[in-house]
Amino acid sequence: MRILLVEDDAMIGKTLQQALQQDGYAVDWATDGQAARLALDTAGDVYALVLLDLGLPRKSGLELLKEIRRAGNKVRVLIVTARDAVADRVAGLDAGGDDYLTKPFSLDELLARMRALLRRDVAREDNVLRHRTLALDTAARTLTHAGRSIDLSAREFALLAALLERPGAALSKAQLEERIYRWGEEVESNAVEVHVHHLRKKLGADTIRTIRGVGYALA
Ligand code: CA
């Protein structure tokens, strides 16, 4: 799952990017409000979530939030900021933020709130994406297939999660790449095919269908 981290503090940004990547997210990191706006305008719908600091150079987080909401962008936004005054919190939520977390926070709480927001997208009550015999738990990061537990690499997990979020819909190779790799990451041209190949070996050849000229979909 790909997310946009908007944070101007180099230390916090780096720490968060690493921690979130360890948890399986592909994390693009923008260090000012303009860069974040550009990323949101150009990357379209690839971001499942935005983690937004409010005090930012070049464009404040609040301004950015108001702008993208006015432009019709409905991406989930979790405001993460040191400002803990009630007025700031209210302004952030009124401007279109979906939730609010005050620094300093525990990583566990951040991850739990992210999962809660991601669930809200599809009105799920738990963290499990299900399709037929597959059940992928995004909190525990486990997959069971017909009751059997299956080990997945981080990329295989991300790719399968992307397909499970829209069962029945086909995703192109480019769309899958966008969802599992962050900016500047080197991607082998056949990376998606390789992950699909490994997933089919683990889950059965007919689990993921190839749709000619389009991409991949769950069976
Ligand atoms: Ca800041």
Side-chain angles (χ1 to χ4, degrees), residues 6-9 12 53-57 80-83 103:
V6 191
E7 171 62 68
D8 61 321
D9 183 300
I12 297 175
D53 183 26
L54 290 186
L56 292 168
V80 182
T81 182
R83 301 184 188 185
K103 293 174 191 166

Side-chain angles (χ1 to χ4, degrees), residues 121-177:
D121 261 355
V122 283
R124 270 185 289 135
E125 282 164 19
D126 56 19
N127 293 302
V128 183
L129 293 164
R130 295 184 179 83
H131 179 68
R132 297 195 174 172
T133 55
L134 295 171
L136 185 119
D137 188 323
T138 58
R141 303 198 57 72
T142 54
L143 170 73
T144 58
H145 177 38
R148 210 159 44 94
S149 145
I150 310 258
D151 283 329
L152 296 183
S153 73
R155 303 287 193 208
E156 289 161 10
F157 191 93
L159 193 154
L160 189 61
L163 290 173
L164 279 165
E165 273 157 30
R166 295 169 190 73
L171 288 173
S172 71
K173 200 177 115 177
Q175 285 173 319
L176 287 167
E177 271 175 13

Side-chain angles (χ1 to χ4, degrees), residues 11 21 27 34 37 50 56 62 79 84 88 107 121-123 131 149 216:
M11 245 217 340
Q21 277 170 193
V27 183
Q34 292 282 13
R37 176 72 208 259
V50 178
L56 292 168
L62 209 54
I79 297 169
D84 57 355
D88 286 328
L107 185 64
D121 261 355
V122 283
H131 179 68
S149 145
Y216 298 101

Side-chain angles (χ1 to χ4, degrees), residues 89-142:
R89 243 180 272 199
V90 171
L93 296 172
D94 279 348
D98 295 286
D99 196 8
Y100 202 108
L101 190 58
T102 304
K103 293 174 191 166
F105 52 83
S106 81
L107 185 64
D108 284 344
E109 180 174 9
L110 174 69
L111 292 170
R113 286 192 189 231
M114 288 172 62
R115 287 193 298 268
L117 282 180
L118 295 168
R119 279 198 306 266
R120 219 190 272 176
D121 261 355
V122 283
R124 270 185 289 135
E125 282 164 19
D126 56 19
N127 293 302
V128 183
L129 293 164
R130 295 184 179 83
H131 179 68
R132 297 195 174 172
T133 55
L134 295 171
L136 185 119
D137 188 323
T138 58
R141 303 198 57 72
T142 54

